Amino acid sequence: MSPATPQRRWNRRSLKPAARRGAVAVEFAAVAPLLLAVIVGLVELSRVYSVQNCLETAAREGARFAALDRSGMMLGGKTANQKLIDDVKNYLASNNINPDKVTVKVTAADNPDHEFNLDDRANDMQLFQVRVEVPYSDVSYTPVSDANDYTLNSALTFRNGRAVVAN
């Protein structure tokens, strides 16, 4: 064997890792945008799931308030509907959802266009619905165009728990 033979083997071996490094860089450049899109999509999807869960919990807690005996729970001059709406918005605010962007409605269960008055004695033991809505663009981590915006909402039907007890 001549002393040049090991030199050639060394040169051939040293060329392979350099060529492979270039291929890895090209592969990464091709895959990185897709990987980044998947990661951002997963973050947004988890945000939607989290906000939807908060809306459902807020609606449930608001409706639960109406099922209770509310005597002594109201501040002066505040109606049960106002307290329910304020409680729902306060819960959402504690979960970093802007309460000014949230819409809360208390409607009759059989007619969502008709407002339900929790304080009206005629509505005792009647079904009502609490609907909580927020635009997706107001809770998204990324910008949302008007054309792609939609509303996240939750609705829960409950019974107005006030009842007249007869002696």
Side-chain angles (χ1 to χ4, degrees), residues 12 28 46 50 64 80-81 91 93 103 121 127 134 138 147 167:
R12 283 186 203 150
F28 179 75
S46 68
S50 174
R64 187 177 152 277
N81 285 37
Y91 177 83
T103 304
R121 287 288 184 188
L127 294 176
V134 64
D138 291 324
N167 290 333

Side-chain angles (χ1 to χ4, degrees), residues 13-146:
R13 288 182 189 157
S14 66
L15 288 177
K16 288 182 182 178
R20 182 67 189 139
R21 280 191 293 253
V24 170
V26 170
E27 290 170 2
F28 179 75
V31 174
L34 178 63
L35 182 63
L36 186 62
V38 168
I39 291 171
V40 169
L42 286 173
V43 168
E44 276 299 310
L45 188 61
S46 68
R47 175 65 175 166
V48 169
Y49 181 75
S50 174
V51 169
Q52 186 64 41
N53 189 34
C54 284
L55 293 177
E56 291 170 5
T57 303
R60 183 177 54 249
E61 290 302 314
R64 187 177 152 277
F65 158 75
L68 300 173
D69 177 15
R70 297 181 294 273
S71 57
M73 296 179 85
M74 307 295 204
L75 297 175
K78 195 177 240 189
T79 66
N81 285 37
Q82 289 169 332
K83 177 153 178 36
L84 185 150
I85 291 169
D86 289 346
D87 286 352
V88 167
K89 287 187 174 191
N90 287 337
Y91 177 83
L92 293 173
S94 71
N95 285 283
N96 296 322
I97 298 173
N98 186 352
D100 297 332
K101 305 293 184 175
V102 174
T103 304
V104 181
K105 297 177 184 175
V106 182
T107 62
D110 56 351
N111 184 3
D113 296 328
H114 184 265
E115 186 176 341
F116 188 89
N117 184 354
L118 293 168
D119 292 326
D120 187 357
R121 287 288 184 188
N123 290 334
D124 288 353
M125 301 306 289
Q126 299 298 313
L127 294 176
F128 67 95
Q129 188 176 70
V130 176
R131 176 172 290 279
V132 184
E133 300 176 342
V134 64
Y136 173 65
S137 59
D138 291 324
V139 295
S140 175
Y141 290 136
T142 59
V144 178
S145 68
D146 290 339

